[in-house]
């Protein structure tokens, strides 16, 4: 499925990540997953949260540069070879991936966050493969 | 030695008489030849006849750098081009440089004031002067060059850079005087150290340093490292170039060649003269120049004037080392940088007003300009490579505007301090 990921611009200085998490905590927003892309000067914090709209709002109120990006969430079986299969399908389908990250919260499944160059194309590839061979019905859609 | 004792040791009354006579004819020439300045005088209701002596100088309108730019290239000249024998231009960073033209007499006058300066610095005709200021449109190299020749000393016209060669010639030719920017002097001393050359083994005795602000501490450092006497020389191309003023060997302020350039100190806010001895903005009127005479030119340099007689015997007024600027112009590696230039580059890149801060630091002998730019909502991308591309674009655009390399750092919004009044755009951390 498609969801909204929240991205926050962070300078590389101590305490900034803590501030973000505190703001979200105060707003009672749950963080399902996050990743930080960083350079020597700055970082981009990417978050999957319970309420992306509200997260954006409270972070903006606190003077952060925030942006929402559509990402694809794919659920795969939590077993060897699943990620590799997913990537193979996407690459054979011609979907270019800007970045991705994954987390595994349940015993039998993992969630992959994919930021493809084209959301539409990525979804089409996943849809057309859903009955095919990869996963059980509906499993790649969260 | 005092090169021109009659002038340099004249009484205050004698000097005022010389200045008054020259000012009167300069005002007339400008009034009749420069329409823009004539309009300014008319606006104030002043006619050339109202100027009776140097006392009336304060009644005249000011001239700003923009006046020179607006009249680019030759609109401020008061003689036909056939009488102009030399052109120089200041390092214009955006748009048009400021052009100055010299007649044959102007060049002679310039050589005279540089010669006086060299004598103030303790240079004599047996000296070998290595001129390591840039030659070309910049006035430093040629200014020192002709002054040295006029003195009868030996000039080595090596120009700037090429440090190994500089050092080699110092060794081989026995240069006794070096003329360059103070930061290059420090650079030379470090190069000597790296090459394992003891400065005592050289014949250097005096350094004539200008074109850049520098401190007493920097003087001490240069003097200790190069084993020379470091002398401060001041000038700006709009007035003549180096030689407007120079320290004597007592190093207690720069003697202004005030029979040619009359200094005033004004309050940059209300533009009124300050009390004698107070700090304010330095203003110059040239009273002997033919090519491009200029009245009440606002230098933007902050300093004060000392009228006491100097221990050297000269009565020429002294100006202290400039202690800053009345505008926020920065001089970085010899290039004039205005925060407004950076602002306009940023404005061109987005629709909203940019927030930025300039931080200048001196790393070793090199000035580094760092530009902090706030990443506003419209700048922010979720992808690192796009932000890196943005940073590179900002850096390239600013570099091509300023002509010097800069560091751009993206920072979070609202992290650059906001003030109620004028925004603070510059932090100069250079220990000058
Ligand atoms: Zn003196």
């Amino acid at each position: 499925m498609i969801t909204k990921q929240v991205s926050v611009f962070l300078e590389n200085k101590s305490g900034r990540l803590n501030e973000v998490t505190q703001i979200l905590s105060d707003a009672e927003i749950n963080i399902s997953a996050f990743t930080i892309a960083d350079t020597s000067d700055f970082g981009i914090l990417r978050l999957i949260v319970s309420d992306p709209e509200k997260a954006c709002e409270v972070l903006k109120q606190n003077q952060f540069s925030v942006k929402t990006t559509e990402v694809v969430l794919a659920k795969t079986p939590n077993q060897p070879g699943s990620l590799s299969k997913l990537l193979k399908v996407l690459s054979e389908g011609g979907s270019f991936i800007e970045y991705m990250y994954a987390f595994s919260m349940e015993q039998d499944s993992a969630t992959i966050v994919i930021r493809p160059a084209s959301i539409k194309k990525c979804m089409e590839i996943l849809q057309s493969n859903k009955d095919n061979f990869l996963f059980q019905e509906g499993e790649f859609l969260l | 030695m005092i090169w021109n004792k009659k002038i340099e040791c004249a009484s205050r009354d004698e000097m005022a008489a010389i200045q008054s006579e020259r000012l009167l004819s300069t005002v007339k020439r400008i009034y009749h030849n420069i329409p823009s300045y004539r309009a300014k005088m008319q606006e104030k209701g002043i006619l050339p006849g109202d100027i009776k002596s140097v006392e009336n100088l304060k009644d005249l309108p000011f001239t700003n750098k923009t006046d020179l730019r607006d009249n680019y290239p030759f609109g401020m000249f008061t003689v036909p081009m056939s009488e102009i024998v030399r052109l120089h231009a200041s390092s214009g960073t955006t748009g048009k440089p400021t052009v100055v033209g010299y007649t044959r007499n102007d060049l002679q006058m310039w050589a005279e004031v540089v010669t006086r300066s060299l004598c103030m610095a303790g240079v004599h005709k047996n000296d070998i002067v290595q001129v390591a200021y840039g030659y070309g449109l910049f006035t430093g190299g040629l200014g020192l060059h002709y002054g040295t020749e006029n003195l009868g000393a030996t000039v080595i016209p090596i120009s700037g850079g090429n440090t190994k060669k500089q050092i080699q010639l110092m060794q081989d030719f026995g240069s006794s005087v070096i003329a360059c920017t103070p930061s290059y002097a420090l650079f030379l001393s470090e190069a000597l150290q790296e090459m394992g050359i003891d400065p005592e083994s050289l014949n250097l005795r005096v350094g004539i340093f200008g074109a850049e602000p520098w401190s007493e501490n920097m003087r001490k450092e240069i003097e200790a490292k190069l084993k020379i006497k470091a002398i401060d020389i001041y000038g700006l191309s709009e007035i003549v170039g180096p030689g407007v003023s120079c320290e004597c060997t007592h190093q207690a302020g720069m003697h202004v060649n005030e029979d040619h350039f009359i200094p005033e100190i004004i309050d940059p806010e209300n533009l009124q003269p300050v009390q004698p001895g107070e700090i304010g903005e330095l203003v110059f009127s040239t009273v002997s120049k033919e090519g491009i005479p200029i009245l009440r030119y606002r230098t933007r340099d902050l300093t004060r004037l000392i009228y006491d007689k100097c221990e050297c015997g000269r009565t020429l007024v002294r100006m202290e080392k400039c202690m800053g600027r009345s505008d926020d112009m920065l001089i970085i590696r010899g290039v004039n940088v205005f925060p407004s230039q950076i602002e306009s580059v940023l404005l061109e890149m987005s629709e909203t007003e940019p927030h930025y801060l300039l931080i200048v630091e001196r790393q070793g002998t090199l000035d580094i300009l760092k530009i902090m730019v706030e990443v506003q909502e419209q700048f922010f991308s979720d992808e690192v490579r796009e932000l890196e591309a943005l940073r590179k674009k900002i850096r390239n655009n600013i570099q091509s505007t300023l002509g010097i390399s800069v560091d751009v750092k993206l920072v979070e919004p609202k992290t650059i301090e906001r003030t109620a009044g004028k925004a603070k755009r510059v932090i100069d951390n250079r220990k000058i």
Side-chain angles (χ1 to χ4, degrees), chain B residues 177-354:
Chain B
V177 179
I178 176 83
C180 61
T181 62
S183 58
Y184 191 64
L186 268 185
F187 188 81
L188 278 171
S189 76
E190 282 160 16
L192 282 170
Q193 204 174 9
E194 275 167 29
M195 294 164 75
I197 297 167
D198 180 2
E200 301 270 23
S201 71
L202 301 172
N203 196 32
L204 278 188
R205 202 182 83 245
V206 179
I208 296 173
F209 305 127
E212 249 176 27
W214 55 305
S215 65
E216 280 306 315
N217 283 339
M218 191 150 168
R219 188 207 305 269
K220 280 188 200 123
E221 206 180 329
I222 294 172
E223 292 192 332
K225 284 186 168 163
L226 280 177
K227 313 284 185 225
I228 57 172
K229 191 155 200 146
I231 296 290
D232 199 355
I233 191 167
Y234 175 90
L236 59 170
S237 69
E238 291 85 343
I239 302 306
V240 77
V244 172
S245 64
C246 186
E247 281 178 336
C248 65
T249 50
H250 296 275
Q251 297 171 313
M254 293 173 273
H255 287 286
V256 180
N257 285 304
E258 55 180 323
D259 53 327
H260 298 292
F261 324 112
I262 307 177
E264 292 172 90
I265 302 289
I266 60 157
D267 178 334
E269 297 293 325
N270 66 21
L271 307 181
Q272 294 304 306
V274 301
Q275 294 299 312
E278 254 182 60
I279 295 173
E281 182 182 327
L282 181 62
V283 170
F284 274 115
S285 300
T286 73
V287 287
S288 62
K289 269 175 81 183
E290 296 176 342
I292 173 167
I294 199 163
L295 290 168
R296 303 196 86 197
Y297 183 72
R298 292 187 59 186
T299 65
R300 310 286 167 168
D301 285 325
L302 297 175
T303 184
R304 77 173 109 223
L305 294 177
I306 309 159
Y307 281 94
D308 310 341
K309 190 172 166 179
C310 182
E311 277 182 70
C312 68
R314 289 178 182 85
T315 51
L316 291 177
V317 67
R318 282 168 289 159
M319 53 181 266
E320 276 189 2
K321 263 182 184 305
C322 297
M323 34 205 107
R325 301 270 310 168
S326 70
D327 57 13
D328 44 13
M329 188 186 84
L330 288 165
I331 301 174
I332 295 165
R333 283 170 258 153
V335 173
N336 298 349
V337 173
F338 287 95
S340 56
Q341 293 176 296
I342 286 155
E343 189 168 301
S344 64
V345 170
L346 293 174
L347 276 170
E348 274 169 27
M349 295 182 58
S350 77
E351 302 312 313
T352 53
E353 201 203 340

